[in-house]
């Protein structure tokens, strides 16, 4: 794959502990790449460094093999979709999309605006104002405004955080389909693990300004580089230094005889979650485990003595 954006040992220090600490990362052309981690991990600072809103304290940033450390934002062929979309409320959809093009001195506005509206499937809504649109439509206007400028990389800062939970999953799929349709590299910041796993071609996990792991979603979920990555991407049961995800943790009344790892214990709580049942178990050894089992299996009750087991191939070993 061809690298479109590269960071080499990039750091940013605001005084005190660095917000970004010697991060080296390559973003491939045409991929949807997520930067994720807890609040304060440096992901938004990293995005701002790429956009040119902040200057690195150390390291180098390359766009298409060209050093851009000292280039102002308007000279970098990247655009940013902000968390609150930053649309002009008094302008129509069309005027919002035209704004960036006018700033760049583009005279023939009709074709790039038409193309951008078509890409985000908002044709016919060009004369509405933002307050006449849904949350998902406003997001698409913000993306269309950026796409009209034909950027090499589209930067998205928590693009779904302003949406209500019921709308998030729908817009998440729309965003992924849009990225595939336009073929532009998306670099997205998110603190939502499910969002990163479901949307991304690759994910970079950060903690306290340092890169912890980069890889495909399945790779970093099933084979995390360290305990921080494992715990950040979802619940893990840790038994004698071995990790097992709840969905890979099985429970049965009879002891299995299939070569599985087995521990004995008692059900301490059962929680119905709709698509599954969460069973909290206290092992005889004193450890606590969580398992997620099919909701069709209603045989377990609090106090039941059970066998907790898992296949060796499902273990996370660090």
């Amino acid at each position: 794959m061809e690298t479109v954006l590269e960071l080499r040992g990039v750091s940013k220090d605001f005084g005190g502990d660095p917000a970004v600490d010697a991060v080296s990362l390559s973003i491939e052309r045409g991929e949807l790449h997520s930067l994720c981690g807890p609040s304060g991990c440096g992901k938004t600072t990293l995005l701002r460094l790429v956009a040119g809103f902040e200057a690195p304290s150390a390291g180098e940033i390359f766009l298409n093999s060209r050093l851009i450390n000292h280039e102002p934002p308007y000279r970098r062929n990247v655009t940013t979709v902000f968390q609150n979309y930053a649309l002009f409320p008094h302008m129509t959809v069309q005027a919002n999309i035209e704004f960036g093009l006018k700033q760049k001195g583009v005279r023939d506005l009709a074709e790039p605006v038409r193309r951008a509206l078509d890409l985000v499937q908002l044709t016919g809504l060009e004369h509405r104002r933002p307050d006449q649109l849904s949350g998902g439509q406003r997001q698409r206007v913000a993306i269309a405004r950026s796409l009209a400028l034909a950027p090499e990389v589209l930067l998205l800062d928590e693009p779904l955080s302003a949406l209500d939970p019921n709308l998030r999953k729908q817009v998440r799929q729309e965003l992924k389909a849009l990225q595939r349709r336009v073929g532009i590299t998306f670099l997205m910041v998110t603190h939502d693990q499910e969002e990163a796993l479901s949307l991304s071609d690759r994910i970079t996990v950060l903690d306290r300004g340092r890169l912890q792991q980069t890889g495909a979603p399945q790779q970093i979920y099933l084979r995390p580089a360290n305990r921080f990555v494992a715990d950040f991407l979802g619940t893990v049961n840790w038994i004698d230094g071995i990790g097992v995800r709840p969905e890979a943790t099985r429970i049965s009344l009879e002891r299995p005889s299939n070569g599985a790892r087995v521990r004995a214990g008692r059900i301490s709580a059962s929680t119905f979650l709709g698509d599954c049942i969460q069973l909290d178990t206290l092992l005889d050894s004193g450890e606590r485990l969580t398992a997620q089992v099919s909701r069709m299996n209603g045989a377990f009750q609090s106090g039941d003595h059970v066998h907790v087991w898992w296949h060796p191939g499902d273990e996370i070993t660090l």
Side-chain angles (χ1 to χ4, degrees), residues 55-76:
S57 304
E60 299 170 314
I61 303 174
F62 294 86
L63 182 66
N64 283 330
S65 302
R66 188 182 81 255
L67 183 66
I68 60 170
N69 278 40
H70 304 296
E71 291 190 0
Y74 65 87
R75 286 188 179 167
R76 304 183 183 202

Side-chain angles (χ1 to χ4, degrees), residues 110-127:
E111 180 56 24
V113 170
R114 184 203 62 76
R115 189 166 56 246
L117 285 168
D118 186 54
L119 283 171
V120 299
Q121 299 178 341
L122 285 178
T123 301
L125 301 182
E126 51 264 50
H127 300 301

